[in-house]
Amino acid sequence: EAGVTQSPTHLIKTRGQQATLRCSPISGHTSVYWYQQALGLGLQFLLWYDEGEERNRGNFPPRFSGRQFPNYSSELNVNALELEDSALYLCASSYASGGNEQFFGPGTRLTVL
Amino acid sequence: SQQGEEDPQALSIQEGENATMNCSYKTSINNLQWYRQNSGRGLVHLILIRSNEREKHSGRLRVTLDTSKKSSSLLITASRAADTASYFCATDPTGGSYIPTFGRGTSLIVHP
């Protein structure tokens, strides 16, 4: 069974640009979570999608947005990139909504120059 | 501030020794989970303990939960060099609106 996949592995952008990160959950999983992990810090919860709907979002500005497609894959968009957006972005999926074991992808390393 | 806070921040031990790391949290929870992260990659789920459970075992892992003290501990027995990683606790707070909260992690180094 394939695990959670994320693309791209690495992404280098400059300030002010937009970044799009993608995530494919494990087959059968309906919930997708996005996290930001800045260097040396813990995971900061960004967004939670379930059955195509945004269920909750963390304490991030509106320029962080995303969506979940009918096949449950998800996209994270970061507009007007700032230097401090440089981080590892992790996607996770789970069988059902909220509180269950999450299966993580390998992450996308975003570098903003 | 973070809901889950791991302690210590870093731990360095020899192979064969036991490693204990702790997690404290602030609000009531449905469950608490421990994850491992190797070298800035994705996290791997280790164990989930529900709020009505006090102790759980999985292989060389032993997790305890004390809801009265709002704390949990992860014990790795007979550690191996391959256990070198960062360990995070994550809480599922009660209240319905699920926002998973992770601590900053404990960095464990096991020397061969």
Side-chain angles (χ1 to χ4, degrees), chain A residues 35 37 44 56 88 98-99 102, chain B residues 2 31 35 37 40 97-98 100:
Chain A
Y35 297 89
Q37 186 178 30
Q44 302 290 323
N56 221 326
L88 180 68
Q102 296 182 29
Chain B
Q2 297 278 23
N31 66 59
Y35 289 82
Q37 183 180 36
S97 190
Y98 175 63

Side-chain angles (χ1 to χ4, degrees), chain B residues 23-70:
Chain B
C23 170
S24 60
Y25 56 92
K26 295 182 170 61
T27 63
S28 296
I29 61 171
N30 295 314
N31 66 59
L32 184 146
Q33 302 177 45
W34 285 92
Y35 289 82
R36 185 186 74 221
Q37 183 180 36
N38 290 85
S39 301
R41 301 295 285 172
L43 278 69
V44 174
H45 184 265
L46 296 176
I47 201 162
L48 180 153
I49 186 165
R50 302 193 187 283
S51 60
N52 61 352
E53 297 175 308
R54 291 297 166 258
E55 189 171 309
K56 210 161 181 180
H57 295 255
S58 177
R60 294 183 295 112
L61 305 180
R62 172 176 167 254
V63 168
T64 62
L65 179 64
D66 187 336
T67 53
S68 67
K69 294 181 180 177
K70 292 187 169 57

Side-chain angles (χ1 to χ4, degrees), chain A residues 70-88:
Chain A
N71 66 353
Y72 302 114
S73 67
S74 178
E75 198 172 83
L76 173 69
N77 294 293
V78 187
N79 293 319
L81 284 165
E82 300 178 1
L83 297 178
E84 49 266 34
D85 296 333
S86 295
L88 180 68

Side-chain angles (χ1 to χ4, degrees), chain A residues 33 35 45 48 56 98-100 102, chain B residues 33 91-93 96-100:
Chain A
Y33 311 84
Y35 297 89
F45 167 68
W48 167 33
N56 221 326
N100 295 297
Q102 296 182 29
Chain B
Q33 302 177 45
T91 54
D92 172 22
S97 190
Y98 175 63
I99 298 181

Side-chain angles (χ1 to χ4, degrees), chain A residues 55-76:
Chain A
R55 299 298 183 187
N56 221 326
R57 66 180 292 130
N59 189 24
F60 280 84
R63 57 191 187 82
F64 287 84
S65 65
R67 53 181 170 165
Q68 186 178 34
F69 299 100
N71 66 353
Y72 302 114
S73 67
S74 178
E75 198 172 83
L76 173 69

